[in-house]
């Protein structure tokens, strides 16, 4: 469904992505992971043309994304950032309905869709639709951001550190709920994170990035069992070491 073919992005002083080739299947949950500055967010942003590649080709359903006007392309893809990015002067319902309004949906259809989505992200419509973002917790704001990204029924969802600003308990809950939504709606998700534990728990496949390139693409179990180099092995070590320390602290090790 999504294909990067020898894609490079070069800025005046540095190369952010270098010769990246990658295929992502329909309904796959694909996670890009790596340290800050490795090119993962640039890769995500090239997919919806917030950033234009210097060279190479990006295809969606076999069509070059450059053949479509950028704003139109973006409206077909949901995008969720680390910070919810809600419009502070708009109610929850108005925030969720932004893209359908831009697409000239009928007001009754927008209202119905808002109700559906708030229920999907586990926010009671009657209690939340008329609230302003400042009246919500961080987890609630991120749930509204997810609902907004899903409003126009995109088939592709782009997530850039979507749970990173949340406290650990809320983060796990919202992440698990999004994975369930991904499966229920048959979405194709591309997510960026620097948290290997999160990647291992959520992804169908993981792409480990370093210095603008992919160093290994594999299913979580394969990545853990067979890291291809020392860099990937070190990325795996941290969650494994934490799990071992937790087991020892709780007296679960023999």
């Amino acid at each position: 469904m999504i294909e990067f073919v020898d894609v490079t992005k070069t800025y005046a002083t540095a190369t952010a992505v270098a010769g990246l080739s990658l295929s992502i299947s329909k309904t796959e949950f694909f996670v890009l992971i790596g340290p800050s500055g490795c090119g993962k967010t640039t890769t995500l942003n090239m997919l919806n043309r917030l950033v234009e590649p210097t060279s190479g080709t990006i295809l969606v359903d076999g069509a070059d994304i450059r053949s479509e006007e950028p704003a139109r392309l973006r409206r077909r893809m949901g995008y969720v950032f680390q910070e919810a990015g809600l419009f502070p002067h708009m109610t929850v319902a108005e925030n969720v309905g932004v893209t359908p309004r831009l697409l000239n949906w009928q007001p009754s259809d927008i209202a119905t869709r808002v109700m559906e989505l708030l229920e999907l992200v586990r926010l009671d419509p009657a209690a939340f639709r008329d609230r302003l973002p400042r009246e919500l917790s961080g987890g609630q704001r991120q749930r509204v951001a997810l609902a907004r990204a899903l409003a126009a029924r995109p088939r592709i969802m782009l997530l850039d550190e979507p749970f990173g600003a949340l406290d650990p308990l809320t983060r796990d809950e919202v992440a698990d709920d999004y994975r369930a939504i991904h499966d229920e709606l048959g979405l194709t998700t591309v997510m960026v994170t620097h948290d290997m534990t999160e990647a291992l728990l959520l992804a169908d496949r993981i792409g480990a990035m370093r210095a603008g390139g992919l160093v290994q693409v594999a299913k979580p179990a394969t990545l853990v069992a067979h890291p291809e180099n020392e860099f990937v092995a070190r990325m795996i070590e941290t969650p494994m070491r934490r799990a071992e320390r937790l087991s020892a602290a709780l007296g679960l090790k023999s």
Side-chain angles (χ1 to χ4, degrees), residues 176-193:
D176 288 347
D177 283 351
Y178 177 75
R179 176 68 220 216
I181 289 168
H182 166 94
D183 293 337
E184 179 181 343
L185 299 182
L187 300 170
T188 301
T189 295
V190 186
M191 187 177 90
V192 161
T193 185

Side-chain angles (χ1 to χ4, degrees), residues 37-53:
C38 71
K40 55 190 186 295
T41 293
T42 299
T43 299
L44 196 72
N45 287 341
M46 286 192 290
L47 186 51
N48 71 351
R49 299 189 65 187
L50 283 172
V51 172
E52 298 287 356

Side-chain angles (χ1 to χ4, degrees), residues 151-220:
R153 298 187 176 89
R155 293 180 302 137
I156 296 172
M157 288 286 285
L158 310 179
L159 311 181
D160 190 359
E161 300 279 4
F163 318 119
L166 303 177
D167 66 83
L169 218 66
T170 304
R171 179 176 184 155
D172 285 349
E173 182 181 77
V174 177
D176 288 347
D177 283 351
Y178 177 75
R179 176 68 220 216
I181 289 168
H182 166 94
D183 293 337
E184 179 181 343
L185 299 182
L187 300 170
T188 301
T189 295
V190 186
M191 187 177 90
V192 161
T193 185
H194 65 271
D195 186 326
M196 179 57 83
T197 302
E198 185 172 75
L200 292 171
L201 290 173
L202 293 176
D204 295 320
R205 280 193 307 154
I206 297 170
M209 290 192 75
R210 183 184 191 187
L214 285 166
V215 294
Q216 186 171 357
V217 177
K219 294 181 179 180

Side-chain angles (χ1 to χ4, degrees), residues 1-4 22-26 47 58-62 77 156 158 188-190:
M1 182 181 194
I2 298 169
E3 188 171 5
F4 292 80
L22 170 69
S23 294
I24 299 171
S25 301
K26 184 178 180 181
L47 186 51
I58 303 172
L59 307 170
V60 174
D61 288 336
M77 298 181 184
I156 296 172
L158 310 179
T188 301
T189 295
V190 186

Side-chain angles (χ1 to χ4, degrees), residues 8-246:
T8 293
K9 177 59 184 180
T10 302
Y11 294 100
T13 58
T15 296
V17 175
L20 185 142
S21 293
L22 170 69
S23 294
I24 299 171
S25 301
K26 184 178 180 181
T27 73
E28 185 172 18
F29 197 125
F30 190 90
V31 174
L32 285 168
I33 188 166
S36 298
C38 71
K40 55 190 186 295
T41 293
T42 299
T43 299
L44 196 72
N45 287 341
M46 286 192 290
L47 186 51
N48 71 351
R49 299 189 65 187
L50 283 172
V51 172
E52 298 287 356
T54 305
S55 62
T57 304
I58 303 172
L59 307 170
V60 174
D61 288 336
D64 190 328
I65 63 171
R66 290 172 295 190
S67 65
E68 189 167 2
E69 196 271 327
R72 182 184 176 92
L73 177 72
R74 288 172 202 141
R75 289 171 190 166
R76 297 197 295 115
M77 298 181 184
Y79 202 144
V80 181
F81 304 87
Q82 180 173 4
E83 299 293 338
L86 303 179
F87 297 110
H89 61 290
M90 291 184 179
T91 65
V92 165
E94 289 168 338
N95 267 284
V96 175
V98 162
T99 301
R101 282 197 298 277
L102 291 172
L103 295 173
N104 296 314
W105 286 27
Q106 292 297 314
S108 60
D109 293 334
I110 295 174
T112 298
R113 184 63 175 156
V114 168
M115 295 279 284
E116 292 172 349
L117 287 167
L118 290 179
E119 290 174 352
L120 184 67
V121 299
R122 300 208 296 171
L123 293 174
D124 177 17
F128 286 96
R129 64 188 172 199
D130 296 324
R131 293 190 190 181
L132 292 170
R134 66 173 179 268
E135 300 173 296
L136 307 177
S137 69
Q140 289 165 348
R141 286 194 295 272
Q142 205 64 345
R143 288 178 185 276
V144 175
L146 287 171
R148 182 177 63 181
L150 291 164
R153 298 187 176 89
R155 293 180 302 137
I156 296 172
M157 288 286 285
L158 310 179
L159 311 181
D160 190 359
E161 300 279 4
F163 318 119
L166 303 177
D167 66 83
L169 218 66
T170 304
R171 179 176 184 155
D172 285 349
E173 182 181 77
V174 177
D176 288 347
D177 283 351
Y178 177 75
R179 176 68 220 216
I181 289 168
H182 166 94
D183 293 337
E184 179 181 343
L185 299 182
L187 300 170
T188 301
T189 295
V190 186
M191 187 177 90
V192 161
T193 185
H194 65 271
D195 186 326
M196 179 57 83
T197 302
E198 185 172 75
L200 292 171
L201 290 173
L202 293 176
D204 295 320
R205 280 193 307 154
I206 297 170
M209 290 192 75
R210 183 184 191 187
L214 285 166
V215 294
Q216 186 171 357
V217 177
K219 294 181 179 180
T222 303
L223 202 73
V224 171
H226 305 290
E228 289 187 358
N229 53 50
E230 184 181 349
F231 172 74
V232 177
R234 288 202 310 270
M235 292 177 72
I236 295 293
E237 270 179 17
T238 299
M240 297 297 105
R241 188 166 56 246
R242 285 177 178 171
E244 290 173 359
R245 288 171 59 193
L246 180 61

